[in-house]
């Protein structure tokens, strides 16, 4: 989607696409150029894993001498990074308020996916509370909420059996009144509503850099450069990104956003909260035998194949989308300790449980994807306002973990941000101590909203898992303290700490023997990635950057037996023998990356830094 408004940004982006296409044609007929990366650009040839300019600055690379680096800049009232539920809800609410009060307001939204919704992945069981507030007439507008929940099943699985657990009213996972949705389709619909209201949406342009005023406040963002070769040199088709400046910039990048990481450091936003803790969610979409489909049924399980000390569980949702579809997935907390654990292979093994297999047998898998999700909740919420900007949605971590839901809270956070911003950006003489507007009212409003009450009530459920009995102790805690006291206990439990610090050395752990995939219920990794629609321009620097190329072999492989080979759900990382036949080296298959961010989170050496690839790259989830 691209707004039809003839703004400077719209004309720039449209012209850039045309020029890029022309340059590509010219480059295809030009003689090949060969570059060799040198570590210091002048001494002996050194093979490198990382060639990205964030690690090797271009101003120190003679290959960039004389290259035009000026960027086109444009101004807006509000710039939003990320076209997910939070960013789009913020954009929509801003334009609704502008329309109600007959004010002119320019809102620009950039999204790294090629289309709005293409990188969106979630279960998803949607609680419609925020949607009801944003669009009370959503049914008349044709929102794709086609499957109301009709039945809830919750199970504890052993290797061969299912133990049913009653789903009592008031428990977090009771889904009465919710809808099973294909979240990418819902987000695409939100994008259409935003465009109708006049929001300028620019898909295929990733926000790569935060810009600052001289006083330190956020000035806006710059989109990614394109036309850089894999070795870090400029290609003939090189083009600088564009700068978008605004009075306020909203960062709604989703879980573990790469710009948000910079903002945490720049403004010390995590000073008064615990480190965030995460999980990885893997998902597939299946067409099954029509006789087995029960539209509206929601199934969740815990237990096998995970042990009691590894947090996680599964979902299986029956959709009503005109064909017998089920969405199924597996979530593993990234605070697990055994480096031999593979979330992907645990997922594949789970599908062979008799209770799950009976639904899938005879079916056909049509899509696959993975994404990290925030699990820290209330204890891990950072400060969300700073001069010139705000954090919204899953970026700061508004997910309700026991509910396994974050869309409604993400949407509401975007709406609250919009309502705090609007009177400030439309004031004729906006008062601010900084060049970029600082609007602390957003955080004040959050603390008065139902988001805060909801997250506070469930704050102890996830950390209650950290006890001798693990999963079962956590379930007892939930049953006793949450169901009876509704989160009013006078204490707040703590999480275990950084997920990256939880792995034990490989020598202290038992390797896990996973069965081979049968090609019917379980599958190998690369055939799964093929179903994600993932694609990246091959000749670009790997966007999985290493701060130090020597650490993977010296630390991760030597101590933890290379866990990135197993925690990555896309086969991006693999250790292969050196050409000399002595020793190993890390190979990064960046073209496989599904943008889940798990590597950035779980890497025990914290040496991996995920940055944006060229815009439009990544998965192409069709409503997954």
């Amino acid at each position: 989607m691209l707004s039809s408004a003839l703004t400077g940004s719209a004309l720039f982006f449209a012209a850039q696409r045309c020029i890029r296409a022309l340059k590509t044609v010219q480059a295809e007929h030009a003689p090949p150029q060969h570059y060799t990366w040198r570590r210091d650009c002048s001494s002996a040839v050194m093979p490198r894993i990382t060639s990205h300019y964030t690690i090797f600055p271009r101003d120190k690379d003679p290959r960039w001498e004389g290259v035009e680096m000026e960027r086109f800049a444009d101004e807006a009232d509000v710039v939003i990074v990320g076209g997910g539920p939070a960013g789009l809800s913020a954009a929509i609410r801003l334009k609704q308020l502008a329309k109600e009060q007959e004010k002119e307001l320019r809102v620009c939204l950039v999204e790294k996916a090629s289309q709005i919704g293409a990188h969106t992945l979630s279960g998803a069981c949607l609680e419609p509370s925020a949607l009801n507030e944003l669009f009370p007439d959503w049914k008349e507008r044709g929102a794709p909420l086609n499957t109301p929940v009709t039945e809830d099943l919750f199970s504890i699985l052993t290797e061969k059996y299912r133990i049913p657990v009653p789903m009592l009213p008031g428990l977090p996972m009771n889904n009465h009144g919710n809808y099973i949705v294909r979240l990418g389709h819902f987000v695409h619909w939100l994008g259409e509503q935003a465009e109708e209201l006049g929001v300028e949406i620019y898909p295929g342009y990733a926000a790569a850099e935060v810009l600052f005023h001289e006083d330190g406040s956020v000035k806006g963002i710059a989109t990614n450069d394109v036309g850089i070769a894999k070795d870090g040199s400029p290609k003939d088709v090189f083009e600088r990104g564009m700068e978008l400046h605004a009075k306020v910039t909203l960062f709604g990048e989703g879980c573990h956003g790469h710009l948000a990481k910079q903002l945490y450091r720049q403004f010390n936003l995590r000073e008064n909260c615990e480190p965030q803790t995460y999980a990885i969610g893997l998902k597939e979409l299946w067409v099954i035998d029509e006789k087995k489909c029960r539209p509206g049924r929601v199934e969740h399980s815990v237990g096998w194949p995970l042990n009691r000390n590894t947090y996680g569980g599964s979902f299986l949702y029956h959709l009503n989308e005109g064909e017998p579809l089920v969405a199924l997935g597996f979530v593993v907390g990234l605070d697990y300790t055994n480096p031999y654990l593979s979330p992907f292979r645990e997922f594949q093994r789970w599908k062979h449980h008799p209770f799950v297999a009976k639904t899938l047998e005879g079916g056909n898998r049509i899509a696959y994807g993975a994404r990290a999700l925030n699990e820290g909740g209330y204890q891990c919420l950072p400060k969300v306002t700073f001069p010139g900007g705000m954090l919204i949605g899953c970026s700061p971590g508004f997910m309700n973990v026991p509910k396994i839901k974050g869309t409604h809270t993400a949407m509401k956070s975007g709406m609250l941000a919009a309502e705090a911003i609007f009177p400030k950006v439309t004031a004729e003489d906006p008062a601010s101590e900084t060049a970029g507007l600082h609007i602390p009212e957003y955080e004040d409003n959050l603390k008065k909203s139902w988001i805060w009450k909801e997250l506070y009530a469930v704050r102890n459920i996830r950390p209650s898992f950290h006890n001798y009995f693990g999963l079962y102790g956590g379930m007892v805690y939930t049953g006793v303290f949450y169901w009876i006291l509704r989160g009013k206990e006078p204490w707040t439990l703590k999480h275990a700490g950084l997920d990256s610090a939880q792995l034990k050395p490989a020598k202290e752990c038992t390797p896990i023997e996973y069965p081979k995939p049968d090609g019917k219920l379980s599958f190998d990794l690369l055939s799964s990635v093929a179903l994600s629609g993932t694609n990246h321009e091959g000749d670009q620097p790997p966007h999985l950057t290493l701060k130090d190329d020597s650490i993977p072999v010296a630390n991760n492989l030597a101590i933890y037996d290379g866990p990135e080979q197993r925690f990555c759900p896309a086969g991006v990382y693999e250790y292969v023998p050196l050409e000399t036949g002595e020793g190993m080296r890390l190979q990064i298959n960046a073209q496989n990356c599904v943008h889940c961010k798990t590597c950035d989170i779980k890497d025990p050496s914290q040496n991996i830094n995920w940055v944006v690839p060229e815009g439009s790259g990544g998965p192409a989830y069709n409503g997954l």
Side-chain angles (χ1 to χ4, degrees):
M1 294 185 293
L2 183 64
S3 176
S4 58
L6 293 177
T7 63
S9 298
L11 290 170
F12 173 82
F13 285 131
Q16 194 178 49
R17 283 193 175 99
C18 293
I19 294 169
R20 192 181 303 167
L22 179 60
K23 285 185 175 181
T24 300
V25 171
Q26 292 173 336
E28 288 174 352
H29 294 85
Q33 295 184 359
H34 301 284
Y35 298 99
T36 300
W37 173 254
R38 298 173 184 266
R39 185 167 189 171
D40 63 0
C41 298
S42 61
S43 62
V45 174
M46 297 287 288
R48 301 295 300 176
I49 301 173
T50 304
S51 55
H52 201 274
Y53 70 88
T54 55
I55 303 298
F56 295 99
R58 292 180 289 210
D59 60 0
K60 298 179 180 179
D61 185 343
R63 297 174 300 175
W64 285 87
E65 290 178 4
V67 176
E68 176 58 55
M69 300 298 285
E70 186 176 355
R71 288 190 289 219
F72 176 82
D74 200 6
E75 299 277 347
D77 293 297
V78 180
V79 166
I80 299 172
V81 178
L88 288 166
S89 295
I92 288 167
R93 189 70 188 117
L94 282 166
K95 296 299 280 189
Q96 285 176 336
L97 291 168
K99 186 176 181 180
E100 290 169 9
Q101 300 188 28
E102 299 182 343
K103 299 272 190 177
E104 289 293 324
L105 189 71
R106 186 176 178 207
V107 180
C108 293
L109 182 150
V110 294
E111 163 58 40
K112 65 184 174 66
S114 59
Q115 301 178 53
I116 294 296
H119 286 181
T120 301
L121 183 144
S122 181
C125 191
L126 176 69
E127 184 175 315
S129 50
L131 178 60
N132 290 333
E133 295 179 26
L134 188 64
F135 287 120
D137 59 343
W138 57 264
K139 290 183 180 179
E140 291 76 13
R141 289 174 172 265
L145 277 64
N146 305 318
T147 313
V149 174
T150 58
E151 183 181 6
D152 260 314
L153 295 179
F154 191 86
S155 311
I156 298 174
L157 301 183
T158 64
E159 187 171 354
K160 295 182 179 180
Y161 300 103
R162 168 188 178 250
I163 303 170
V165 178
M167 189 56 58
L168 301 173
L171 286 174
M173 293 181 71
N174 186 302
N175 285 290
H176 178 76
N178 297 333
Y179 292 81
I180 303 169
V181 300
R182 298 175 68 174
L183 194 62
H185 289 173
F186 175 68
V187 167
H188 186 86
W189 175 83
L190 282 177
E192 293 173 342
Q193 309 310 304
E195 282 205 314
E196 285 182 13
L197 288 165
V199 177
E200 297 175 38
I201 297 178
Y202 302 106
Y205 291 89
E209 181 184 346
V210 183
L211 305 175
F212 297 94
H213 290 285
E214 289 184 3
D215 67 356
S217 61
V218 172
K219 184 178 185 179
I221 58 94
T223 62
N224 61 291
D225 296 343
V226 297
I228 305 173
K230 195 168 186 176
D231 65 358
S233 62
K235 295 193 282 190
D236 290 341
V237 293
F238 172 75
E239 291 174 6
R240 273 295 250 166
M242 174 187 177
E243 294 188 5
L244 282 171
H245 304 163
K247 299 172 184 175
V248 182
T249 304
L250 299 184
F251 296 87
E253 305 167 277
C255 176
H256 206 64
H258 82 291
L259 296 184
K261 289 193 305 177
Q262 300 172 37
L263 295 166
Y264 290 142
R265 294 190 295 268
Q266 182 78 13
F267 297 105
N268 201 17
L269 301 178
R270 303 204 67 90
E271 181 181 16
N272 297 312
C273 69
E274 290 187 40
Q276 185 61 261
T277 184
Y278 302 87
I280 179 174
L282 305 106
K283 182 180 177 182
E284 294 176 352
L285 195 65
W286 283 62
V287 178
I288 63 169
D289 185 335
E290 191 170 1
K291 296 176 183 177
K292 299 178 182 179
C293 192
R294 303 287 184 270
R297 175 184 282 188
V298 167
E299 304 176 23
H300 289 105
S301 77
V302 294
W304 188 89
L306 301 177
N307 63 34
R308 74 173 190 272
N309 296 119
T310 303
Y311 188 86
S314 74
F315 65 88
L316 197 157
Y317 302 154
H318 295 247
L319 292 147
N320 181 22
E321 297 277 346
E323 58 181 331
L325 288 175
V326 291
L328 57 144
F330 204 78
V331 177
V332 178
L334 289 177
D335 55 356
Y336 68 82
T337 60
N338 188 340
Y340 293 109
L341 187 144
S342 164
F344 172 81
R345 298 183 77 175
E346 296 289 348
F347 177 30
Q348 300 306 309
R349 181 160 62 165
W350 165 78
K351 288 184 290 179
H352 284 275
H353 191 279
F355 185 68
V356 180
K358 67 180 183 180
T359 299
L360 302 180
E361 286 171 348
N364 180 35
R365 186 179 68 149
I366 61 173
Y368 165 82
R371 186 69 169 96
L373 53 150
N374 305 88
E375 289 206 331
Y378 177 82
Q379 293 91 320
C380 301
L381 291 176
K383 183 176 176 60
V384 294
T385 64
F386 42 90
M390 299 176 176
L391 300 174
I392 58 175
C394 289
S395 183
F398 291 120
M399 179 175 165
N400 184 322
V401 179
K403 282 186 176 181
I404 324 179
K405 292 176 182 63
T407 303
H408 66 301
T409 50
M411 292 177 67
K412 180 64 174 177
S413 72
M415 294 157 64
L416 289 170
E419 289 161 2
I421 289 169
F422 182 76
K424 302 290 185 178
V425 297
T426 56
E428 292 187 8
D429 184 20
S432 177
E433 296 179 358
T434 60
L437 292 178
H438 188 199
I439 308 176
E441 289 85 352
Y442 164 50
E443 188 157 332
D444 297 337
N445 294 343
L446 268 174
K447 293 178 179 179
K448 298 173 185 175
S449 73
W450 53 257
I451 294 179
W452 215 256
K453 294 175 183 176
E454 184 175 313
L455 295 186
Y456 182 80
V458 300
R459 71 194 183 284
N460 287 329
I461 294 179
R462 175 65 176 91
S464 72
F465 172 82
H466 295 290
N467 65 83
Y468 175 78
F469 299 102
L471 168 69
Y472 306 109
M475 291 182 69
V476 170
Y477 185 97
T478 302
V480 173
F481 290 101
Y482 179 79
W483 194 64
I484 295 174
L485 298 178
R486 290 295 190 270
K488 295 180 181 177
E489 61 268 31
W491 59 80
T492 297
L493 302 177
K494 291 187 176 182
H495 295 285
L498 286 170
D499 294 333
S500 57
Q502 304 308 311
L503 285 181
K504 296 178 180 178
K507 66 182 180 180
E508 298 178 15
C509 300
T510 302
I512 301 173
E513 295 294 329
Y514 291 104
K516 291 183 179 181
D518 67 355
K520 297 177 181 178
L521 295 181
S522 52
F523 303 89
D524 66 86
L525 193 56
L526 293 184
S527 67
S528 299
V529 175
L531 289 177
S532 69
T534 298
N535 183 56
H536 294 88
E537 160 60 44
D539 190 15
Q540 64 174 300
H543 63 282
L544 295 312
T545 69
L546 303 179
K547 299 172 188 175
D548 184 335
D549 283 359
S550 68
I551 283 179
V553 170
N555 189 70
N556 290 14
L557 184 62
I559 300 174
Y560 304 101
D561 197 42
E564 55 270 70
Q565 300 176 104
R566 292 177 284 274
F567 60 58
C568 174
V572 170
Y573 302 94
E574 59 178 325
Y575 285 92
V576 298
L578 284 169
E579 287 72 10
T580 61
E582 298 180 2
M584 305 288 282
R585 64 177 177 86
L586 178 67
Q587 180 169 298
I588 297 181
N589 305 307
Q591 67 275 15
N592 287 6
C593 179
V594 294
H595 299 196
C596 73
K597 312 293 181 67
T598 303
C599 57
D600 197 317
I601 297 164
K602 189 61 176 171
D603 176 16
S605 58
Q606 284 298 280
N607 187 47
I608 299 172
N609 184 40
W610 191 100
V611 298
V612 291
E614 289 191 3
S616 298
Y621 299 138
N622 180 22
L624 187 57

